[in-house]
Amino acid sequence: MTAVRQRRVGKGTEAAEDQPSEETNVKPDGKIPSDHTGGKLWNILSVTVGGIVAISLGLLTSVYVATLHENDLWFSNIKEVEREISFRTECGLYYSYYKQMIQAASIQQGIVNCKQYLEPVYFYIYTLFGLQAVYVIALYVTSWLLSGTWLSGLLAACWYITNRVDTTRVEFTIPLRENWALPFFAVQIAAITYLLRTHLQPVQERLTLMAVFIATFLFSLTWQFNQFMMLIQALALFILDCLDMLPTAKVTWLYIIQISGLLLVCVLQFFNSMILGSLLISFNASVLIARTIQKNLKTGGLLNRLGKLILHVLLVLCLTLLINKFIKKILNLESDEHIFKFLKAKFGFGATRDFDANLYLCEEAFGLLPLNTFSRLSDTLLFYVYVFVLFLMAVAAVIVAFRNLSGSNQVKLMKKMEECTITLKPDAAYSLVHTVLFGCLALSTMRMKYLWTSHMCVFASFGLCSTEVWKLILKCVHLYTSQRAQVLKYSIPIITLLYISYKFWPGIMDELSELREFYDPDTVELMNWIKSNTPNTAVFAGSMQLLAGVKLCTGRTLTNHPHYEDKNLRERTKQIYQIYAKRSPEDVHGILRSFGTDYVILEDSICYERRHSRGCRLRDLLDVANGHIMDGLGENAPDLKPALYPRFCEEIKKNLPSYTTHFTRVFQNKTFHVYKLAKHK
């Protein structure tokens, strides 16, 4: 049956065997008995098959998302300008640097030219889709390491694919920095999971630490939010170390690796001062300092240890704030102040009129996680299994933590508890706290859900395929035998896989057969006009999102762009956005010319915005920041005053003399209006 493409209208602006743990069939001296040669060969075969399945699933995922991208845009058939416009908002900015690099003569002379084999844009997007293969393989391996069976990895990968809407957005936001970073973060978590296993040989431990460092470095290099993600990771390590659930020496190495990775990135990013002022560096340094101050932290009875822990936490917290404040004061750092203003307002510590903070607060991506996310995750059984495993592991963690803190005085009580509980391995303990902390992050900020949902697949599949989990359940209901635990360990995951395949395979096939086409004629017309009718040295002002596309498609100079981690650029953007505020033509002209602007682009979709409710429209944010009453029916703060001038983006279209003196309209279509600025002496 012939498939028919639909236009996608654009806007202007995601049979098994055990892999034995290292203790299996190993004598205390670490040697494997010679009579286990057959078992050793079987294990090698199992690892080989599991590895092949992992690579195959990774490659299939890569092909899957690449096909979805092609089908959604008919990417292979559209013009280059349309391909570039399809990289919306900041995606266009990131791709523009790649385009700029491959077009530079010095770069072309220094590397092998691949254009005769593959178009540069395809090299770029295929690299990112290839990283999705790395991502899925890393999730697969992490689940396999935790459970001891590659069936768990298979289930994790299948859940990741069938929950694609909530686990990745790579196929429609290809160049986003998170799509480069998250595969390396997944590799880092897999390496940490292996590092936390017991009985590692010194060579294995050193190689694993090297893998953790490389993955941490690459993750930090590719995403601006790396310091906040690794701060949560450091908090997880800190909690587990305090509860004596992880080896302190390994935790120390992980702290050092995080600091080293960030400092190396700081150097490579031309001494990015925002990194030096990160809370992660301050926190990790504080933990290491507090350890040297407080001795015998893990000795004594329950009350004694709890007192020491409370003091330790307070000491680390105070040191973190002091060190961070000191660094920011010495280096005069203000790059990330908008993030803390946003967090303060988001969690109810006072309202704010700060334009930058409100810009984040009003975006759906930075709001709470929608409840329909859980219904989608429940359709694949992922959320049900996750909550089930989370509850069991949390109970086990509480018991183990209580035992560790109690010392030797509670032996009888612990023996009684151990009749229906399991020992929580360090790697499983880390995975538990990791998923809880990143779950809290996702619940509070929807954009961060991709860090949680991907690990949710790993955690749920690990629990469903874990001998320890089924042993705990069967012991608690007095039905435990090793045979029953093994049967459940394999049968339940296989049934789950069959259910997922039966329910979602037809939908995936339908999705792959649905054909659409990129369609955004107004933006294409604008970009073509700019290239044909403006000098190469022309400077353009407008919205951050649109200007990223202007830079990519035309190479013209911009006044501002979506890189929002620089205070000066944030201030400049706020000034440029006065084109949508209630300001006089003289004021707007003066502001724009102070940044060297030759042309300004006005968008009807912003000037007459309806996507956001009153109070969250860009023009409302500007009005409040300027002390003006907002448009439309509704309440206003008592100190807001009526503006002296009408809204600039509306009034300029009337061609009044006070406006035409400073601005001349040179282009317009249904979406965009371009004005050339007069250059007064």
Side-chain angles (χ1 to χ4, degrees):
M1 186 175 180
T2 305
V4 179
R5 288 191 178 272
Q6 299 175 351
R7 281 184 171 176
R8 188 178 185 276
V9 180
K11 296 189 289 186
T13 28
E14 199 237 283
E17 299 294 340
D18 278 339
Q19 180 194 6
S21 62
E22 300 201 19
E23 301 91 339
T24 304
N25 299 329
V26 179
K27 289 182 177 180
D29 60 2
K31 296 180 180 178
I32 300 176
S34 58
D35 57 342
H36 285 79
T37 304
K40 186 177 180 181
L41 290 173
W42 182 254
N43 291 336
I44 293 173
L45 176 63
S46 176
V47 170
T48 303
V49 173
I52 292 171
V53 172
I55 294 170
S56 301
L57 278 170
L59 293 174
L60 283 172
T61 304
S62 179
V63 172
Y64 174 51
V65 293
T67 304
L68 290 176
H69 175 257
E70 168 64 23
N71 290 355
D72 194 39
L73 301 175
W74 204 1
F75 200 75
S76 61
N77 192 63
I78 59 179
K79 299 175 183 178
E80 182 179 3
V81 66
E82 293 175 309
R83 290 175 177 176
E84 293 175 347
I85 292 170
S86 72
F87 297 140
R88 301 285 185 187
T89 63
E90 66 262 44
C91 297
L93 177 69
Y94 306 146
Y95 181 76
S96 72
Y97 295 118
Y98 166 75
K99 181 182 177 182
Q100 183 177 338
M101 183 186 72
I102 62 172
Q103 290 181 344
S106 59
I107 294 292
Q108 288 182 343
Q109 292 167 2
I111 62 173
V112 176
N113 196 331
C114 67
K115 288 185 178 180
Q116 56 183 317
Y117 306 108
L118 192 67
E119 293 180 66
V121 67
Y122 275 105
F123 176 79
Y124 185 90
I125 66 173
Y126 286 167
T127 298
L128 271 158
F129 292 146
L131 281 174
Q132 280 296 297
V134 175
Y135 196 2
V136 171
I137 292 170
L139 297 176
Y140 180 108
V141 170
T142 304
S143 187
W144 184 359
L145 288 170
L146 286 167
S147 67
T149 171
W150 57 260
L151 178 62
S152 175
L154 175 60
L155 183 55
C158 289
W159 264 329
Y160 178 85
I161 295 168
T162 53
N163 291 283
R164 175 184 55 81
V165 172
D166 295 300
T167 55
T168 182
R169 51 178 178 164
V170 67
E171 77 274 11
F172 61 91
T173 58
I174 299 173
L176 276 189
R177 286 177 281 186
E178 69 186 52
N179 294 330
W180 291 96
L182 293 186
F184 298 122
F185 192 51
V187 171
Q188 186 229 39
I189 293 169
I192 289 176
T193 301
Y194 186 76
L195 177 69
L196 295 177
R197 303 184 95 187
T198 55
H199 308 303
L200 286 185
Q201 299 297 324
V203 174
Q204 292 175 311
E205 189 168 313
R206 285 195 292 270
L207 289 174
T208 307
L209 284 170
M210 180 62 69
V212 173
F213 174 77
I214 293 171
T216 300
F217 165 70
L218 292 173
F219 170 65
S220 303
L221 188 65
T222 49
W223 199 19
Q224 79 275 26
F225 288 136
N226 63 76
Q227 53 174 296
F228 303 105
M229 303 308 107
M230 289 199 296
L231 176 61
I232 294 174
Q233 192 176 55
L235 285 171
L237 295 171
F238 178 71
I239 291 168
L240 291 168
D241 185 33
C242 287
L243 297 177
D244 208 12
M245 298 172 76
L246 292 183
T248 299
K250 291 182 179 180
V251 172
T252 303
W253 273 113
L254 292 174
Y255 287 143
I256 294 171
I257 284 173
Q258 286 186 330
I259 295 174
S260 303
L262 270 188
L263 292 178
L264 181 56
V265 169
C266 176
V267 173
L268 291 178
Q269 291 183 349
F270 308 101
F271 296 94
N272 183 349
S273 58
M274 183 177 173
I275 292 175
L276 295 176
S278 68
L279 278 174
L280 175 66
I281 289 180
S282 302
F283 176 78
N284 286 8
S286 299
V287 174
L288 297 176
I289 293 170
R291 278 190 190 165
T292 62
I293 296 173
Q294 279 186 288
K295 303 294 184 182
N296 303 319
L297 190 62
K298 298 182 179 182
T299 59
L302 177 62
L303 294 178
N304 189 8
R305 286 198 61 176
L306 284 176
K308 289 181 181 179
L309 273 182
I310 293 171
L311 182 61
H312 184 63
V313 170
L314 291 174
L315 179 60
V316 169
L317 181 62
C318 292
L319 280 173
T320 300
L321 296 175
L322 286 172
I323 292 173
N324 192 254
K325 191 76 173 177
F326 176 76
I327 292 173
K328 288 185 174 180
K329 189 73 173 177
I330 293 295
L331 299 178
N332 193 27
L333 300 179
E334 297 177 311
S335 300
D336 56 357
E337 63 176 7
H338 65 297
I339 297 175
F340 294 104
K341 287 179 181 177
F342 158 72
L343 292 174
K344 183 180 176 182
K346 182 178 178 66
F347 295 109
F349 296 103
T352 179
R353 288 186 180 176
D354 183 77
F355 175 76
D356 304 316
N358 283 326
L359 209 56
Y360 280 107
L361 286 169
C362 286
E363 284 300 319
E364 184 183 6
F366 291 93
L368 299 177
L369 188 67
L371 293 177
N372 60 9
T373 305
F374 301 107
S375 63
R376 288 194 300 271
L377 295 173
S378 300
D379 286 341
T380 62
L381 304 181
L382 172 59
F383 188 65
Y384 296 132
V385 175
Y386 174 77
V387 172
F388 170 71
V389 175
L390 183 65
F391 173 75
L392 291 176
M393 298 295 287
V395 171
V398 169
I399 293 172
V400 171
F402 181 71
R403 181 186 63 202
N404 291 346
L405 294 176
S406 298
S408 58
N409 297 328
Q410 306 288 335
V411 174
K412 291 184 180 180
L413 177 61
M414 287 301 107
K415 282 185 177 179
K416 187 174 182 181
M417 285 185 175
E418 284 178 356
E419 291 178 3
C420 64
T421 193
I422 59 172
T423 301
L424 197 61
K425 296 184 294 184
D427 53 0
Y430 171 76
S431 187
L432 170 66
V433 179
H434 179 103
T435 195
V436 169
L437 293 182
F438 278 95
C440 293
L441 177 66
L443 290 171
S444 66
T445 309
M446 185 184 77
R447 185 179 174 182
M448 300 303 170
K449 73 175 179 179
Y450 303 103
L451 288 151
W452 182 44
T453 50
S454 58
H455 194 265
M456 185 188 289
C457 300
V458 170
F459 191 77
S461 61
F462 144 63
L464 214 57
C465 298
S466 170
T467 302
E468 288 83 359
V469 169
W470 290 114
K471 182 178 179 181
L472 169 64
I473 296 169
L474 291 173
K475 278 194 171 184
C476 285
V477 295
H478 306 292
L479 293 174
Y480 173 73
T481 65
S482 59
Q483 292 83 2
R484 285 175 181 164
Q486 290 296 312
V487 168
L488 289 171
K489 172 181 176 177
Y490 291 114
S491 61
I492 301 299
I494 290 172
I495 291 170
T496 305
L497 282 167
L498 291 173
Y499 168 80
I500 293 172
S501 302
Y502 172 77
K503 185 170 183 179
F504 293 97
W505 182 257
I508 291 175
M509 291 298 101
D510 289 342
E511 192 176 36
L512 290 172
S513 64
E514 186 177 354
L515 306 177
R516 297 175 181 168
E517 180 183 356
F518 178 83
Y519 185 72
D520 189 359
D522 289 350
T523 308
V524 172
E525 184 185 12
L526 172 66
M527 299 306 172
N528 287 334
W529 181 87
I530 292 173
K531 286 194 287 186
S532 303
N533 297 276
T534 64
N536 293 335
T537 56
V539 179
F540 279 79
S543 70
M544 293 185 291
Q545 298 85 346
L546 180 62
L547 289 185
V550 170
K551 174 177 171 58
L552 170 58
C553 297
T554 71
R556 301 301 188 263
T557 304
L558 313 177
T559 56
N560 56 307
H561 59 67
H563 184 76
Y564 221 56
E565 283 76 51
D566 181 84
K567 184 183 180 182
N568 292 329
L569 188 57
R570 292 197 299 270
E571 290 293 334
R572 174 180 290 210
T573 298
K574 180 182 176 182
Q575 290 301 309
I576 296 294
Y577 276 10
Q578 297 303 312
I579 58 178
Y580 297 109
K582 297 171 181 175
R583 300 289 293 267
S584 71
E586 293 79 13
D587 286 349
V588 174
H589 182 269
I591 291 170
L592 295 177
R593 285 303 301 158
S594 70
F595 298 121
T597 307
D598 297 313
Y599 297 88
V600 60
I601 308 174
L602 297 174
E603 301 168 63
D604 287 346
S605 59
I606 298 178
C607 190
Y608 307 108
E609 181 186 1
R610 296 179 181 177
R611 184 169 69 95
H612 292 103
S613 61
R614 184 178 184 272
C616 268
R617 299 169 299 190
L618 179 62
R619 61 180 186 267
D620 298 334
L621 302 183
L622 290 164
D623 289 343
V624 171
N626 293 339
H628 297 154
I629 292 174
M630 294 183 288
D631 291 340
L633 299 175
E635 295 183 358
N636 288 283
D639 60 327
L640 296 179
K641 308 295 183 184
L644 298 177
Y645 300 95
R647 194 166 305 281
F648 176 83
C649 63
E650 296 176 358
E651 202 70 10
I652 192 174
K653 295 169 187 173
K654 298 178 181 178
N655 292 323
L656 299 174
S658 57
Y659 288 83
T660 56
T661 303
H662 305 289
F663 302 93
T664 303
R665 184 162 57 198
V666 291
F667 172 85
Q668 75 174 82
N669 59 23
K670 292 183 295 183
T671 305
F672 305 105
H673 303 261
V674 181
Y675 293 86
K676 186 174 182 179
L677 275 71
K679 297 183 179 180
H680 302 310
K681 291 184 180 180

